Amino acid sequence: MIFKASALKKISVNMLPFGDAVSDDLPLGQLLRLSLFQVSVGMAAVMLLGTLNRVMIVELNIGAMLVAAMIAIPVLVAPFRALVGFKSDNYKSAIGWKRIPYLWFGTMWQFGGLAIMPMALLVLSGDRTLDWPWAGYFGAALAFLLTGVGMHMTQTAGLALAADRATEETRPKVVALLYVMHLIGMGISAILIGALLRDYSALRLVQVVQGTAVVTLLLNLIALWKQEKVRPMTKAERAITGPTFRDAWTDLASGGDAGRLLAVVFIGTIAFNMQDVLLEPYGGEILGLSVSATTFLTAMWAGGALVGFAFAARWLAQGIDPCRMATRGILAGIAAFSAVIFSAPMGSPVLFYSGAALIGFGGGLFGVSTLTAAMTMPTLGNAGRGLALGAWGAAQATGAGLSIFIGGTVRDLVNHAAGNGTLGEALATPATGYSVVYHTEIGLLFITLIVLGPLVRLRPMTRGESAKLGLADFPT
């Protein structure tokens, strides 16, 4: 039997992971090329939340409170993602582009922030060449702000562009592919950046961070090239006004258990993310791990999140209630922070890495579960799925930003008291501040379970219900 080349090509494409995400409007090559923006965002996330916080605290001797405040800046601007998505949805121009301008300017902001970041950090750490003492603070804050705004704008516009190009049937699978590419980008970037910073020096830091800026620009340029079709708009079309945020938010707030769910997301996110600014410094200062070894923690976290993603797919297919599934993520988080705490007295890097992977697993499963609940949240009138997900993202991002600042502040205050002997001789160790933060996170996870309780349904979802909302529907 003779097979046609097109038939063989179709078979080979269908055998690929997410091969069913391909459509005539979005072929495989363009889909994979478009997904590169997720790699650049994941790379910037590793740089901000992984490598730089350890370098600033351990190598540059910057206080954890100040580092936490800097790292919290890009996270706290994340709630504006809903505004960016709304603006790109309703953007009106004569040429007809909606997503590309936001994707491009987001790329440029991300590039600019990373380009000036290493110089600002060196000035902030004490290597000052300017007479103005606030130059380091201003430069570092500006660098983190530009990078954060660029990341969120790039990711929001890129996801919207992918959703525009996909068909109704393939759109959920395309978004799922982009989510996986984000985690893969974080994992690969963590390994590469860790290897490049194995022999740390100020010059090497400048080279790595600014090299990341260049790679970001190249990846995003390749990703957006000829991805959006030009659809000219008439003057009458541009004059049409859309709905307002206020009306839509009022409709969402009237839809049922939205307030309790957002409280769960907020508290749970704080519980899972207070360690973001401390996990790598903990490995370096307490366990004596190198920069390269602690950067690998981000890869462990991403791997744990991918495993949680796979378990969530299986459990959703079985019809498990999303809020009940979130409790499993919370319990995994409690075990994870317990492992991190005991890794110090036991001197066990293996236990430490296992805890990091479990944090990724529990946090990822918790995020996916609450996101599923947000997608099925009752809404009225002008409130739709997009606004519900925007509210979820606002609660999640605000909680993440506050948790980073709180974690660094608590660690500094407790270690200061322990160093002065206020807490007694037994607690006069650098590990005390870290331990208090991790114990606080465990306590917050128990509080999250209490708030979540009324949302857990007594009956499981039927298979018919779960089929309507597959895991591939999730945006990042």
Side-chain angles (χ1 to χ4, degrees):
M1 179 180 292
I2 300 177
F3 292 94
K4 294 182 179 180
S6 59
L8 290 174
K9 182 178 180 181
K10 183 177 181 180
I11 293 174
S12 63
V13 169
N14 289 335
M15 292 178 64
L16 292 173
F18 295 100
D20 52 355
V22 176
S23 63
D24 293 337
D25 295 332
L26 187 59
L28 180 62
Q30 294 186 21
L31 174 59
L32 294 178
R33 184 161 59 85
L34 179 60
S35 67
L36 292 178
F37 78 88
Q38 284 286 69
V39 177
S40 72
V41 172
M43 183 168 54
V46 168
M47 187 65 68
L48 294 182
L49 301 178
T51 303
L52 287 181
N53 74 66
R54 176 299 161 39
V55 169
M56 286 189 287
I57 293 176
V58 179
E59 273 70 29
L60 299 181
N61 295 317
I62 300 175
M65 185 184 303
L66 179 59
V67 173
M70 292 296 177
I71 295 177
I73 290 175
V75 182
L76 288 175
V77 300
F80 292 99
R81 290 176 60 146
L83 179 61
V84 171
F86 177 81
K87 290 292 186 181
S88 65
D89 283 337
N90 298 277
Y91 185 71
K92 297 178 176 63
S93 66
I95 195 174
W97 274 349
K98 297 196 303 181
R99 316 295 186 185
I100 291 296
Y102 288 89
L103 183 56
W104 172 247
F105 282 106
T107 299
M108 295 306 298
W109 284 30
Q110 186 175 336
F111 170 82
L114 291 173
I116 67 175
M117 187 172 295
M119 301 301 182
L121 294 181
L122 292 177
V123 173
L124 181 64
S125 66
D127 186 11
R128 297 180 174 86
T129 58
L130 300 175
D131 294 332
W132 188 34
W134 291 95
Y137 297 98
F138 177 79
L142 179 62
F144 278 93
L145 177 63
L146 291 177
T147 305
V149 171
M151 288 171 57
H152 297 306
M153 184 178 292
T154 297
Q155 191 172 53
T156 302
L159 289 172
L161 176 58
D164 290 342
R165 294 208 55 191
T167 64
E168 289 291 337
E169 180 182 2
T170 63
R171 185 173 293 119
K173 305 176 182 66
V174 169
V175 175
L177 170 63
L178 296 177
Y179 177 85
V180 173
M181 287 296 292
H182 177 66
L183 294 180
I184 292 175
M186 291 185 67
I188 295 177
S189 300
I191 296 173
L192 292 178
I193 293 173
L196 292 173
L197 288 176
R198 188 181 301 274
D199 298 321
Y200 173 80
S201 66
L203 177 60
R204 180 59 62 89
L205 177 66
V206 174
Q207 292 172 334
V208 171
V209 179
Q210 292 188 341
T212 302
V214 175
V215 173
T216 294
L217 180 62
L218 294 177
L219 287 177
N220 289 355
L221 183 61
I222 295 172
L224 63 85
W225 185 257
K226 293 185 177 181
Q227 291 283 6
E228 187 174 19
K229 295 181 180 179
V230 176
R231 300 180 179 88
M233 300 179 66
T234 64
K235 185 176 181 180
E237 290 175 332
R238 298 197 300 272
I240 299 175
T241 59
T244 63
F245 263 118
R246 177 176 295 181
D247 294 338
W249 181 262
T250 300
D251 292 338
L252 176 67
S254 303
D257 295 323
R260 179 173 289 272
L261 177 61
L262 295 180
V264 168
V265 174
F266 180 75
I267 300 173
T269 301
I270 291 179
F272 273 107
N273 289 275
M274 283 178 66
Q275 51 76 32
D276 271 356
V277 73
L278 301 175
L279 201 60
E280 293 200 20
Y282 180 80
E285 184 177 359
I286 306 303
L287 297 178
L289 301 177
S290 65
V291 175
S292 176
T294 55
T295 301
F296 185 66
L297 288 170
T298 306
M300 297 293 295
W301 174 90
L306 283 173
V307 174
F309 192 83
F311 273 94
R314 179 180 179 182
W315 289 335
L316 282 174
Q318 295 173 354
I320 295 179
D321 176 40
C323 292
R324 188 179 297 275
M325 193 169 67
T327 62
R328 300 182 180 183
I330 294 173
L331 294 176
I334 293 173
F337 290 117
S338 300
V340 172
I341 291 171
F342 282 105
S343 66
M346 296 180 65
S348 175
V350 174
L351 190 59
F352 179 55
Y353 281 118
S354 300
L358 272 177
I359 291 173
F361 174 82
L365 185 57
F366 174 79
V368 166
S369 303
T370 55
L371 182 56
T372 306
M375 294 177 72
T376 58
M377 183 187 303
T379 56
L380 300 172
N382 295 316
R385 176 181 291 185
L387 182 59
L389 295 178
W392 176 90
Q396 191 270 344
T398 304
L402 289 176
S403 68
I404 292 173
F405 178 75
I406 294 172
T409 302
V410 170
R411 177 262 189 188
D412 277 3
L413 293 177
V414 172
N415 273 358
H416 178 73
N420 291 338
T422 305
L423 303 180
E425 183 179 354
L427 297 178
T429 65
T432 302
Y434 295 102
S435 181
V436 169
V437 172
Y438 299 143
H439 280 87
T440 302
E441 290 181 290
I442 293 176
L444 288 173
L445 287 175
F446 279 110
I447 295 175
T448 306
L449 282 175
I450 296 173
V451 179
L452 179 63
L455 295 178
V456 177
R457 299 193 306 179
L458 295 179
R459 67 171 184 87
M461 294 169 56
T462 64
R463 291 190 179 273
E465 289 176 322
S466 64
K468 296 178 182 178
L469 183 63
L471 184 64
D473 288 319
F474 303 149
T476 58

